[in-house]
Amino acid sequence: MKRRELITLLGGAAAWPLGARAQSSTGPVIGFLHGATPESYAHLVTAFRQGLNEAGFVEGRNVAIEYRWAEGKYDRLPRLAAELVARKVNVIAATGGSVSAIAAKAATTTVPIVFSFGADPVKLNLVASFNHPGGNLTGVSFLIDLVPAKLAQLMHELVPDATVMGFLINPDSPGAESDARELEAAVESLGQKLLTVRASAEGAFEPVFASLAQQRAHAVLVRGDPLFFIWREQLAALAVRNGIAAVANLREYVDAGGLMSYGTSLADAYRQQAIIVGRILKGANPADLPVIQSTRFELIINRKTAKALGIKISDNLVSIADEVIE
């Protein structure tokens, strides 16, 4: 499928008339604000639609969706959020990183916003509390930004002889630098040194991995970020090429060739986000809807990638893994 055809399929070219609140010929309109690209998140848009269906809404039948994609360029998000507010959508689904929710909140205090991301929404001042959001925002927090210390332990077991560990962050992403400081303490407690490397564009990936290899890093933790998610296959390939074990907090990285992941299901988070959107379309107040927290974490290992890196996966890791990809 060509890029233009896919974007059209995902709603990139849709246009809907305005009323007191946007109404299409099929009913209310959802604004879908995302920090990445439609191609890289197509399976998650499908999960979002599944959640809408569970809530009683079918795109094109009794609800319409206005899609806005930032293509990994976060400085576009404020303008895209303002566009959705100007079109008077009934609710904004802000996802693809906390940057989307932050941009949406800055654009409106009246349009309901339902987010889905891996950070703590209370820390980001998006909601008053998980149980009582208190404003026009609520949503799903799958808390993958809170598991780097656990990943550090798993990486230590995976590559026990490694003395240097890398941490790839996008400096444009909220909370990235503070996560690096927290992970540094966790890594040092394991007797290792942490190298935090930064990339905010695809062109920086090769130099970053070359730098990690030069400094003898045997493993790198890829922080959850829409930009990295877009280019996850390239990141996995670069890691193998440089002899580095790449670990992330989403299974999609392992499916793309990464070595290991530990985190929650992104598809389920999108599905739950859509269910909340459906409740708001039926009249619920976001201030009264508790933020949903993911509680089930899964460990995924790619044995093929381990072999390519010459890494023997311990029996313990295999026994506790939820899935080992052959």
Side-chain angles (χ1 to χ4, degrees):
M1 182 178 291
K2 295 181 179 178
R3 172 184 171 87
R4 183 177 299 174
E5 293 171 346
L6 179 57
I7 291 175
T8 300
L9 176 64
L10 293 178
W16 306 98
L18 302 178
R21 272 275 176 259
Q23 292 290 323
S24 70
S25 59
T26 56
V29 180
I30 299 166
F32 188 91
L33 182 66
H34 205 290
T37 62
E39 299 93 336
S40 59
Y41 278 78
H43 68 296
L44 298 171
V45 173
T46 298
F48 183 84
R49 290 183 178 130
Q50 178 188 341
L52 281 181
N53 294 350
E54 292 177 31
F57 293 94
V58 179
E59 184 180 10
R61 184 180 302 169
N62 60 352
V63 71
I65 306 178
E66 284 266 0
Y67 294 88
R68 295 292 185 276
W69 300 89
E71 306 278 332
K73 296 178 173 60
Y74 301 158
D75 57 352
R76 295 179 180 176
L77 286 166
R79 174 179 57 81
L80 297 176
E83 284 181 12
L84 293 173
V85 174
R87 294 184 73 78
K88 301 185 187 298
V89 296
N90 300 83
V91 59
I92 295 174
T95 190
S98 57
V99 282
S100 296
I102 292 170
K105 183 181 181 183
T108 179
T109 58
T110 56
V111 179
I113 298 167
V114 181
F115 55 74
S116 175
F117 53 69
D120 183 338
V122 178
K123 263 189 189 179
L124 294 174
N125 295 316
L126 292 173
V127 297
S129 70
F130 278 83
N131 289 331
H132 303 285
N136 64 316
L137 285 85
T138 188
V140 181
S141 176
F142 40 99
L143 299 178
I144 58 173
D145 288 0
L146 304 183
V147 299
K150 177 63 176 179
L151 277 167
Q153 294 172 3
L154 292 169
M155 289 169 70
H156 181 63
E157 181 168 353
L158 189 67
V159 194
D161 296 331
T163 57
V164 180
M165 185 182 299
F167 187 36
L168 176 60
I169 66 172
N170 181 348
D172 295 337
S173 183
E177 297 293 346
S178 61
D179 275 3
R181 291 190 292 271
E182 291 177 14
L183 182 61
E184 184 174 17
V187 168
E188 287 179 352
S189 71
L190 297 171
Q192 297 174 317
K193 176 185 177 182
L194 183 71
L195 293 175
T196 299
V197 289
R198 297 163 178 83
S200 56
E202 181 268 337
F205 295 156
E206 286 204 32
V208 157
F209 275 88
S211 172
L212 287 173
Q214 185 178 21
Q215 297 180 74
R216 301 184 182 280
H218 291 93
V220 61
L221 170 58
V222 180
R223 185 178 187 267
D225 190 276
L227 175 68
F228 300 155
F229 196 89
I230 293 171
W231 297 101
R232 57 192 182 276
E233 291 185 3
Q234 181 182 357
L235 291 173
L238 281 169
V240 172
R241 190 186 311 163
N242 286 278
I244 298 171
V247 178
N249 45 26
L250 294 170
R251 73 158 296 141
E252 282 86 353
Y253 287 89
V254 181
D255 292 333
L259 179 57
M260 183 172 68
S261 70
Y262 177 75
T264 56
S265 168
L266 199 54
D268 190 58
Y270 274 67
R271 184 186 66 82
Q272 292 184 79
Q273 178 189 22
I275 291 173
I276 297 172
V277 167
R279 292 183 64 184
I280 290 173
L281 290 178
K282 291 177 179 178
N285 186 339
D288 301 326
L289 296 177
V291 175
I292 294 176
Q293 299 179 67
S294 299
T295 56
R296 183 180 182 275
F297 288 75
E298 58 182 10
L299 175 64
I300 314 294
I301 299 172
N302 190 320
R303 197 189 296 273
K304 181 179 178 181
T305 300
K307 288 179 180 178
L309 291 167
I311 293 174
K312 185 181 185 307
I313 305 169
S314 70
D315 292 339
N316 179 59
L317 280 177
V318 172
S319 67
I320 64 175
D322 294 274
E323 183 178 350
V324 177
I325 298 174
E326 302 292 342

